[in-house]
Amino acid sequence: MVVLTGHTLTLEEVKRVLYRDELVIASKESMEAVERSRKAVEEIVANKNVVYGINTGFGKFSDVLIAAGDVEELQWNLIHSHACGVGEPFPEEVSRAMLLLRANALLKGYSGVRPIVIERLLDLLNAKIHPVIPQQGSLGASGDLAPLSHLALALLGEGEVFYRGKRVPAIEALSTEGIAPITLKAKEGLALINGTQAMTAMGVVVYLEAEQLAYESEAIAAMTIEGLRGIIDAFDEHVHLVRGYRQQVEVAARIRDYLAGSKLTTRQGELRVQDAYSLRCIPQVHGASWQVLDYVKEKLEIEINAATDNPLIFEGGAKVISGGNFHGQPIAFAMDFMKIAIAELANISERRIERLVNPQLNDLPPFLSPAPGLQSGAMIMQYTAASLVSENKTFAHPASVDSIPSSANQEDHVSMGTIASRHAYAILQNTRRVLAIELICAMQAVEYRGVENMAPKTRKLYEAVRNIVPSITKDRIFSKDIEATAQWLKGVDWPFFLQTITPTNQYS
C-alpha cells in the first residue's frame, strides 16, 4: 500500500501504483492539513474577501467579482468550459498517474479543497476507473487546464472513463462501484485543473519505460557485439574511469557483465584493431543518455510532490497568493531533454543494425538472408529502423522553445510541456521498435556464429525471445515479429538484466 503525504511520493511508488495496481491511501496528517486549508477558503467566502479563483472570474476575467450565491456555479462552469481537449486519449496508465499525482498535490494542504475531493480521486484510482482524457489542448500554463478538466468531469459523474477494459460513461462506472459523484464547492474546480499533472504523468510513464528500455538497449547491444565479433577491450574499466562519468563507467560494467564467458568476442588485433563507433562507443553514448535520464528523474521527483495550482493558501488563510507554480517550464525542458536522450538510443541502434545487415561491413550472409537474392532477409527491417529514427528527429525538436499568448494576453508565456511529454512518448515507442529490430537481427547473427558460443546472459535473452520470434529460415511478414518483440520488451520483468553492478571505489 502506498501512503500519500503530499511530500514523499517516489517514482518507485508511482511505478507500483501504475503497473502493480497497488492501493493508495492518504495519510491522516496530510488530511488534517487539507481540512485547515479548506476552513480558510470557507472563511474567505463567508467574509466576502476578494480572492482570485474563489469569488472572481478566471484568467482575463480575474477582475470580475462573483456573487456568493454563484460560487458553486462558477466552479461547474469552469470545468465544463475548460474541457476542450481533442484527439486520441492518453494511455490508461497516464490517466491513472494523473489521478495519483493530482491527489498528492492537493494533499500538501495549500489548495483549499475539501477532503472529499481527494477521497474521490483515490476512489477512482483504487477502483481502476480511469478518466478518458484527450491528449491535445494544453499549453502547459496555466497548468494542464484542458486535460485536467476532463479528469475533473469524472468526479462529477460526467464524461467517459476506461473501466474493466471498456470505454463507458463515467456515471455508469461510478454506480457500479458504489461511488457517489461530487458537487464542487468554492475554489475546488480551479484547484483540480490548475497544475502540471498531465505533462508530469505523461513524463513519469515515459521515464519509467525509458529506464527499462535503456537497460534493454545495453543487453541487445551486447548481443550485437557477439554477432559482429566485437572487440571487448573497448569496455575495459580503465578506459571509462579516466573519462570520469559515472554513467559511462556503469554502462561499460554492464556490457562486460552481459558478455562474461562469451567465445564470440575478440581482442584488439585478433580480427581487427578497433570497431566502429556504434560498437566501441556504446558506454559513451548510452552513458550520456543515462545522464539525461538521471536529470529527468530528479525533476520528476520534485514535480510529483509539488504544489502547482493557483492561488495557494498559507498561514491559515492569512496569506493567499496568486503565483505561477502551474507553469510547466521545468518539466517542458526535462521532457525535451529526454526526447533527445531516447532518440539517441535509436540512432546508434540503427547504425548497429546496418552493420549487422550490410555485407560490406561484416562477414555474415548479406542482409542475414537464408538465401541471398532469392530472399531479402532483414533488408527492409533496416529501412523501417531508418524511418523510425528519422521520424524521431522531427519529434525531438524542442517544444519548449515555442510560446503563444492566450487569455487576451494575460497568459502571455506558456511552456508547451505537455506537447514535449507527448512527443517523448512517441519517440519512446519508435525507439522500442528500432531496438526490437536490432534484437531480431542480432539473434540471427549469433546463430551464424554459433549460439553455443554465446555468453550465458546474452544466450538467456536469445532463448527468451526465440520463444516468440522464430529464426529466419524463409522470408515472412516481419512486421509481426517486430511488434511481438517490441511488446515483449515493454512487458518483460527483466529479472537478470537489472542486476546491481558493483561500482568501483571511485563511485561507491
Side-chain angles (χ1 to χ4, degrees), residues 292-341:
V292 176
L293 290 177
D294 287 347
Y295 171 86
V296 172
K297 181 179 182 180
E298 177 191 343
K299 303 312 168 196
L300 287 173
E301 289 201 320
I302 292 171
E303 195 73 6
I304 64 177
N305 290 293
T308 56
D309 58 300
N310 177 60
L312 294 171
I313 299 166
F314 303 96
E315 299 177 7
K319 185 183 289 187
V320 182
I321 301 176
S322 285
N325 281 1
F326 50 70
H327 202 294
Q329 204 72 27
I331 298 302
F333 282 165
M335 293 300 100
D336 279 338
F337 204 8
M338 185 161 62
K339 282 156 51 177
I340 296 169

Side-chain angles (χ1 to χ4, degrees), residues 199-251:
M199 70 179 79
T200 305
M202 182 88 262
V204 165
V205 168
V206 175
Y207 171 81
L208 292 173
E209 293 190 18
E211 181 184 53
Q212 171 157 313
L213 195 61
Y215 281 119
E216 293 169 343
S217 72
E218 296 164 7
I220 293 167
M223 190 185 296
T224 295
I225 291 168
E226 290 186 299
L228 294 171
R229 302 215 64 198
I231 300 167
I232 195 67
D233 302 69
F235 304 95
D236 188 287
E237 184 177 43
H238 291 89
V239 173
H240 305 286
L241 286 175
V242 297
R243 183 76 181 274
Y245 292 114
R246 172 181 58 81
Q247 296 87 348
Q248 177 181 326
V249 172
E250 291 173 349
V251 171

Side-chain angles (χ1 to χ4, degrees), residues 111-167:
S111 302
V113 301
R114 292 168 297 155
I116 188 64
V117 174
I118 298 167
E119 290 167 5
R120 279 297 173 271
L121 288 167
L122 297 182
D123 286 341
L124 265 62
L125 184 67
N126 290 327
K128 301 180 190 176
I129 299 173
H130 304 138
V132 174
I133 301 171
Q135 290 193 31
Q136 295 170 282
S138 176
L139 297 174
S142 299
D144 290 310
L145 295 173
L148 289 172
S149 293
H150 286 272
L151 179 147
L153 283 175
L155 302 180
L156 309 182
E158 301 186 45
E160 291 185 305
V161 296
F162 295 114
Y163 178 63
R164 297 183 179 177
K166 296 180 180 180
R167 183 169 170 169

Side-chain angles (χ1 to χ4, degrees), residues 159-180:
E160 291 185 305
V161 296
F162 295 114
Y163 178 63
R164 297 183 179 177
K166 296 180 180 180
R167 183 169 170 169
V168 301
I171 192 62
E172 179 181 318
L174 293 176
S175 298
T176 300
E177 292 290 337
I179 299 171

Side-chain angles (χ1 to χ4, degrees), residues 92 189-190 198 232 251 270 283 302 329 355 362 392 402 418 487:
E92 272 197 74
L190 186 61
I232 195 67
V251 171
E270 185 178 340
I302 292 171
Q329 204 72 27
R355 301 201 79 80
N362 63 49
N392 279 353
D402 186 28
T418 312
Q487 284 303 306

Side-chain angles (χ1 to χ4, degrees), residues 380-392:
I380 307 304
M381 280 196 268
Q382 186 273 328
Y383 283 40
T384 299
S387 172
L388 294 170
V389 163
S390 291
E391 186 173 79
N392 279 353

